[in-house]
Coordinates of all heavy atoms in Angstrom, one line a residue:
M1 N 324.4 305.4 202.5 CA 325.2 305.2 201.3 C 325.0 306.3 200.3 O 326.0 306.9 199.7 CB 325.1 303.9 200.7 CG 325.9 303.7 199.5 SD 326.3 302.0 199.1 CE 326.6 302.2 197.4
L2 N 323.7 306.6 200.0 CA 323.4 307.6 199.0 C 323.9 309.0 199.4 O 324.4 309.7 198.5 CB 321.9 307.5 198.6 CG 321.5 308.4 197.4 CD1 322.3 307.9 196.1 CD2 320.1 308.2 197.2
P3 N 323.6 309.4 200.6 CA 324.1 310.7 201.0 C 325.6 310.9 200.9 O 326.2 311.9 200.5 CB 323.7 310.9 202.5 CG 322.5 310.0 202.6 CD 322.8 308.8 201.7
G4 N 326.4 309.8 201.1 CA 327.8 309.8 201.0 C 328.2 310.0 199.6 O 329.2 310.7 199.2
L5 N 327.5 309.3 198.7 CA 327.8 309.3 197.2 C 327.5 310.8 196.7 O 328.3 311.3 195.9 CB 326.9 308.3 196.5 CG 327.0 308.4 195.0 CD1 328.4 308.0 194.5 CD2 325.9 307.5 194.3
I6 N 326.4 311.3 197.2 CA 326.1 312.7 196.7 C 327.1 313.7 197.2 O 327.5 314.6 196.5 CB 324.6 313.1 197.3 CG1 323.6 312.3 196.5 CG2 324.4 314.6 197.1 CD1 322.2 312.4 197.1
A7 N 327.6 313.5 198.5 CA 328.7 314.3 199.0 C 330.0 314.3 198.2 O 330.6 315.3 197.9 CB 328.9 314.0 200.5
V8 N 330.4 313.0 197.9 CA 331.6 312.8 197.1 C 331.5 313.4 195.7 O 332.4 314.1 195.2 CB 332.0 311.3 197.1 CG1 333.1 311.1 196.1 CG2 332.3 310.8 198.5
L9 N 330.4 313.2 195.1 CA 330.1 313.7 193.7 C 330.2 315.3 193.8 O 330.7 315.9 192.9 CB 328.8 313.3 193.2 CG 328.8 311.8 192.6 CD1 327.4 311.4 192.3 CD2 329.7 311.7 191.4
S10 N 329.6 315.9 194.8 CA 329.5 317.4 194.9 C 330.9 317.9 195.1 O 331.3 318.9 194.5 CB 328.6 317.8 196.1 OG 327.3 317.4 195.8
L11 N 331.7 317.2 196.0 CA 333.1 317.7 196.3 C 333.9 317.5 195.0 O 334.7 318.4 194.7 CB 333.7 316.8 197.4 CG 333.2 317.2 198.8 CD1 333.7 316.2 199.8 CD2 333.5 318.6 199.1
V12 N 333.8 316.5 194.3 CA 334.5 316.3 193.0 C 334.1 317.4 192.0 O 335.1 318.0 191.4 CB 334.3 314.9 192.4 CG1 334.9 314.8 191.0 CG2 335.0 313.8 193.3
G13 N 332.9 317.7 192.0 CA 332.4 318.7 191.0 C 332.9 320.0 191.4 O 333.3 320.8 190.5
L14 N 332.9 320.4 192.6 CA 333.4 321.7 193.1 C 334.9 321.8 192.8 O 335.4 322.9 192.4 CB 333.0 321.9 194.5 CG 331.5 322.2 194.8 CD1 331.3 322.2 196.3 CD2 331.1 323.5 194.2
F15 N 335.6 320.7 193.2 CA 337.0 320.8 193.0 C 337.4 320.8 191.6 O 338.3 321.7 191.2 CB 337.6 319.5 193.6 CG 339.1 319.4 193.6 CD1 339.8 320.2 194.5 CD2 339.8 318.5 192.8 CE1 341.2 320.2 194.5 CE2 341.2 318.4 192.8 CZ 341.9 319.3 193.6
A16 N 336.7 320.2 190.7 CA 337.0 320.3 189.2 C 336.6 321.7 188.7 O 337.3 322.2 187.8 CB 336.1 319.2 188.5
A17 N 335.6 322.3 189.2 CA 335.2 323.6 188.7 C 336.3 324.7 189.1 O 336.5 325.6 188.4 CB 333.9 324.0 189.4
L18 N 336.9 324.4 190.2 CA 338.0 325.4 190.6 C 339.3 325.1 190.0 O 340.1 326.0 189.8 CB 338.3 325.2 192.2 CG 337.1 325.7 193.1 CD1 337.4 325.3 194.5 CD2 337.0 327.2 192.9
L19 N 339.6 323.9 189.4 CA 340.9 323.6 188.9 C 341.2 324.2 187.5 O 342.2 324.6 187.2 CB 341.1 322.1 188.7 CG 341.3 321.4 190.1 CD1 341.4 319.9 189.8 CD2 342.6 321.9 190.7
G20 N 340.2 324.2 186.6 CA 340.5 324.8 185.4 C 339.4 324.6 184.3 O 338.2 324.4 184.7
D21 N 339.7 324.8 183.1 CA 338.8 324.7 182.0 C 339.0 323.5 181.1 O 339.8 322.7 181.5 CB 338.9 326.0 181.0 CG 338.5 327.3 181.8 OD1 337.6 327.2 182.6 OD2 339.1 328.3 181.4
G22 N 338.2 323.4 180.1 CA 338.3 322.2 179.2 C 337.6 321.0 179.8 O 336.4 321.1 180.1
W23 N 338.3 319.9 179.8 CA 337.6 318.7 180.3 C 337.3 318.8 181.8 O 336.4 318.0 182.3 CB 338.4 317.4 180.0 CG 339.8 317.4 180.6 CD1 340.9 318.0 180.1 CD2 340.2 316.8 181.8 NE1 342.0 317.8 180.9 CE2 341.6 317.1 181.9 CE3 339.5 316.0 182.8 CZ2 342.3 316.6 183.0 CZ3 340.3 315.6 183.8 CH2 341.6 315.9 183.9
W24 N 337.9 319.7 182.5 CA 337.5 319.9 184.0 C 336.1 320.4 184.1 O 335.4 320.1 185.0 CB 338.5 320.9 184.6 CG 339.8 320.4 184.8 CD1 340.9 320.8 184.2 CD2 340.2 319.5 185.9 NE1 342.0 320.1 184.8 CE2 341.6 319.3 185.8 CE3 339.5 318.8 186.9 CZ2 342.2 318.4 186.6 CZ3 340.2 317.9 187.7 CH2 341.5 317.7 187.6
D25 N 335.7 321.2 183.1 CA 334.3 321.7 183.0 C 333.3 320.5 182.9 O 332.2 320.6 183.5 CB 334.1 322.7 181.9 CG 334.8 324.0 182.1 OD1 335.0 324.3 183.3 OD2 335.1 324.6 181.1
G26 N 333.6 319.5 182.1 CA 332.7 318.4 182.0 C 332.6 317.6 183.3 O 331.5 317.2 183.7
I27 N 333.8 317.5 184.0 CA 333.7 316.8 185.2 C 332.9 317.6 186.2 O 332.2 317.0 187.1 CB 335.2 316.5 185.8 CG1 335.9 315.5 184.8 CG2 335.2 316.0 187.2 CD1 337.3 315.4 185.1
A28 N 333.0 318.9 186.2 CA 332.3 319.8 187.2 C 330.8 319.6 186.9 O 330.0 319.6 187.8 CB 332.8 321.2 187.0
W29 N 330.4 319.7 185.6 CA 329.0 319.5 185.3 C 328.4 318.1 185.8 O 327.3 318.1 186.3 CB 328.8 319.6 183.7 CG 328.6 320.9 183.3 CD1 329.6 321.8 182.8 CD2 327.4 321.6 183.1 NE1 329.0 323.0 182.5 CE2 327.6 322.9 182.6 CE3 326.0 321.3 183.3 CZ2 326.7 323.8 182.3 CZ3 325.1 322.2 183.1 CH2 325.4 323.5 182.6
L30 N 329.2 317.1 185.6 CA 328.7 315.7 186.0 C 328.7 315.7 187.6 O 327.8 315.2 188.2 CB 329.7 314.6 185.5 CG 329.5 314.3 184.0 CD1 330.6 313.3 183.6 CD2 328.2 313.7 183.8
G31 N 329.8 316.3 188.2 CA 329.9 316.2 189.7 C 328.8 317.1 190.3 O 328.4 316.7 191.5
L32 N 328.4 318.1 189.7 CA 327.3 318.9 190.3 C 325.9 318.6 189.8 O 324.9 318.9 190.5 CB 327.7 320.4 190.1 CG 328.9 320.9 190.8 CD1 329.3 322.3 190.4 CD2 328.8 320.7 192.3
G33 N 325.9 318.1 188.6 CA 324.5 317.7 188.0 C 323.9 316.4 188.6 O 322.7 316.4 188.8
L34 N 324.8 315.4 188.7 CA 324.2 314.1 189.2 C 323.7 314.3 190.6 O 322.6 313.6 190.9 CB 325.4 313.1 189.1 CG 325.7 312.6 187.8 CD1 326.9 311.6 187.8 CD2 324.5 311.9 187.2
P35 N 324.3 314.9 191.6 CA 323.6 315.0 192.8 C 322.3 315.7 192.8 O 321.3 315.4 193.5 CB 324.7 315.9 193.7 CG 326.0 315.6 193.1 CD 325.7 315.5 191.6
A36 N 322.2 316.7 191.9 CA 320.9 317.4 191.7 C 319.8 316.4 191.2 O 318.7 316.4 191.6 CB 321.1 318.6 190.8
V37 N 320.2 315.6 190.2 CA 319.3 314.7 189.6 C 318.9 313.6 190.7 O 317.7 313.3 190.9 CB 319.9 314.0 188.4 CG1 319.1 312.9 187.9 CG2 320.0 315.0 187.3
L38 N 319.9 313.2 191.4 CA 319.6 312.2 192.5 C 318.7 312.7 193.6 O 317.9 312.0 194.2 CB 321.0 311.6 193.1 CG 321.8 310.8 192.2 CD1 323.1 310.4 192.8 CD2 321.1 309.5 191.9
G39 N 318.8 314.0 193.9 CA 318.0 314.6 194.9 C 316.6 314.8 194.5 O 315.7 314.8 195.2
I40 N 316.4 315.1 193.1 CA 315.1 315.4 192.6 C 314.3 314.1 192.2 O 313.1 314.1 192.1 CB 315.2 316.4 191.4 CG1 315.6 317.8 192.0 CG2 313.9 316.6 190.7 CD1 315.9 318.7 190.9
W41 N 315.1 313.1 191.9 CA 314.5 311.8 191.3 C 313.3 311.3 192.1 O 312.3 310.9 191.5 CB 315.7 310.8 191.2 CG 315.1 309.5 190.6 CD1 314.8 308.3 191.2 CD2 314.9 309.3 189.2 NE1 314.4 307.5 190.2 CE2 314.5 308.0 189.0 CE3 315.0 310.1 188.1 CZ2 314.1 307.5 187.7 CZ3 314.7 309.6 186.8 CH2 314.2 308.3 186.7
P42 N 313.4 311.2 193.5 CA 312.3 310.6 194.3 C 311.0 311.5 194.1 O 309.9 311.0 194.0 CB 312.7 310.6 195.7 CG 314.2 310.6 195.6 CD 314.6 311.4 194.4
I43 N 311.2 312.8 194.0 CA 310.0 313.7 193.8 C 309.4 313.5 192.5 O 308.1 313.4 192.4 CB 310.5 315.1 194.0 CG1 310.9 315.3 195.4 CG2 309.3 316.1 193.7 CD1 311.7 316.7 195.7
L44 N 310.2 313.4 191.5 CA 309.7 313.2 190.0 C 309.0 311.8 189.9 O 308.0 311.7 189.3 CB 310.7 313.3 189.1 CG 311.4 314.7 188.9 CD1 312.5 314.7 187.9 CD2 310.3 315.7 188.6
R45 N 309.6 310.8 190.6 CA 309.1 309.5 190.5 C 307.8 309.3 191.2 O 306.8 308.7 190.7 CB 310.1 308.5 191.0 CG 309.8 307.1 190.8 CD 310.9 306.2 191.2 NE 310.4 304.8 191.1 CZ 311.0 303.8 191.7 NH1 312.1 304.0 192.3 NH2 310.5 302.6 191.5
R46 N 307.7 310.0 192.3 CA 306.4 310.0 193.2 C 305.3 310.5 192.4 O 304.1 310.1 192.4 CB 306.6 310.6 194.5 CG 305.4 310.5 195.3 CD 305.5 311.2 196.7 NE 306.9 311.1 197.2 CZ 307.4 312.1 198.0 NH1 306.7 313.1 198.4 NH2 308.7 312.0 198.4
R47 N 305.5 311.8 191.7 CA 304.5 312.4 191.0 C 304.0 311.6 189.8 O 302.9 311.7 189.4 CB 305.0 313.8 190.5 CG 305.1 314.7 191.6 CD 305.4 316.1 191.0 NE 305.5 317.0 192.1 CZ 305.8 318.3 192.0 NH1 305.9 318.8 190.7 NH2 305.9 319.1 192.9
T48 N 304.8 310.8 189.1 CA 304.4 310.1 188.0 C 303.8 308.7 188.3 O 303.1 308.1 187.4 CB 305.6 309.9 187.1 OG1 306.6 309.1 187.7 CG2 306.1 311.2 186.5
T49 N 304.1 308.1 189.5 CA 303.6 306.8 189.7 C 302.3 306.7 190.6 O 301.5 305.9 190.5 CB 304.7 306.0 190.4 OG1 305.2 306.6 191.6 CG2 305.9 305.8 189.5
T50 N 302.1 307.7 191.5 CA 301.0 307.6 192.4 C 300.1 308.9 192.2 O 300.5 310.0 192.3 CB 301.4 307.6 193.9 OG1 302.2 308.8 194.1 CG2 302.2 306.4 194.3
P51 N 298.8 308.6 191.8 CA 297.9 309.7 191.5 C 297.5 310.3 192.9 O 297.5 309.6 193.9 CB 296.7 309.0 190.9 CG 296.8 307.6 191.2 CD 298.2 307.3 191.5
V52 N 297.1 311.6 192.8 CA 296.7 312.3 194.0 C 295.2 312.0 194.2 O 294.4 312.1 193.3 CB 296.9 313.8 193.8 CG1 296.4 314.6 195.0 CG2 298.4 314.1 193.6
Q53 N 294.8 311.6 195.4 CA 293.4 311.3 195.7 C 292.8 312.5 196.4 O 293.4 313.2 197.2 CB 293.3 310.2 196.7 CG 293.8 308.8 196.1 CD 293.7 307.7 197.1 OE1 293.3 307.9 198.2 NE2 294.0 306.5 196.6
T54 N 291.6 312.9 195.8 CA 290.9 314.0 196.4 C 289.6 313.6 196.8 O 289.0 312.6 196.4 CB 290.7 315.2 195.2 OG1 290.0 314.6 194.1 CG2 292.0 315.6 194.8
G55 N 289.0 314.4 197.7 CA 287.6 314.1 198.2 C 287.7 313.2 199.4 O 288.7 312.7 199.9
Q56 N 286.4 312.8 199.9 CA 286.3 311.9 201.0 C 286.3 310.5 200.6 O 285.8 310.1 199.5 CB 285.0 312.2 201.7 CG 284.8 313.6 202.3 CD 285.7 313.8 203.5 OE1 286.0 312.8 204.2 NE2 286.2 315.0 203.7
P57 N 286.9 309.6 201.4 CA 286.9 308.2 201.1 C 285.4 307.6 201.2 O 284.6 308.1 202.0 CB 287.8 307.5 202.2 CG 287.8 308.5 203.3 CD 287.6 309.9 202.7
K58 N 285.1 306.7 200.3 CA 283.8 306.1 200.3 C 283.7 305.0 201.4 O 284.6 304.3 201.5 CB 283.5 305.5 198.9 CG 283.4 306.6 197.8 CD 283.1 305.9 196.5 CE 283.1 307.0 195.4 NZ 282.9 306.5 194.1
I59 N 282.6 305.1 202.1 CA 282.3 304.1 203.2 C 281.4 303.1 202.7 O 280.2 303.4 202.2 CB 281.8 304.8 204.5 CG1 282.7 305.9 204.9 CG2 281.5 303.8 205.5 CD1 282.3 306.7 206.1
K60 N 281.8 301.8 202.8 CA 280.9 300.8 202.3 C 280.1 300.3 203.5 O 280.6 300.0 204.6 CB 281.7 299.6 201.7 CG 282.3 300.0 200.4 CD 283.1 298.9 199.9 CE 283.8 299.3 198.6 NZ 284.6 298.2 198.0
N61 N 278.8 300.0 203.4 CA 278.0 299.5 204.5 C 277.7 298.0 204.3 O 277.5 297.4 203.4 CB 276.6 300.2 204.6 CG 276.8 301.6 205.0 OD1 277.8 301.9 205.8 ND2 276.0 302.5 204.7

């Protein structure tokens, strides 16, 4: 479902960018900006929620 939403938003944004100026530019910004944010969101979320573990795991005896 999300890939389809990203595709539709991208197509709307590209179509609006080709149509004209004024409020079409706002639609183009939203149509092309939201897919970029949706694509980057999991990467940003992963970096802020899970710390990176370094070194060897400790073995308990």
Side-chain angles (χ1 to χ4, degrees):
M1 175 156 157
L2 190 59
L5 176 66
I6 291 172
V8 169
L9 285 172
S10 297
L11 286 174
V12 169
L14 289 172
F15 187 67
L18 291 173
L19 284 179
D21 291 328
W23 59 278
W24 287 108
D25 290 334
I27 295 173
W29 273 89
L30 286 174
L32 296 173
L34 284 175
V37 170
L38 290 174
I40 295 173
W41 184 258
I43 296 170
L44 295 175
R45 189 170 174 197
R46 186 179 327 150
R47 286 188 182 182
T48 59
T49 57
T50 56
V52 177
Q53 295 181 353
T54 60
Q56 297 290 328
K58 295 180 180 177
I59 300 172
K60 295 180 182 180
N61 288 332

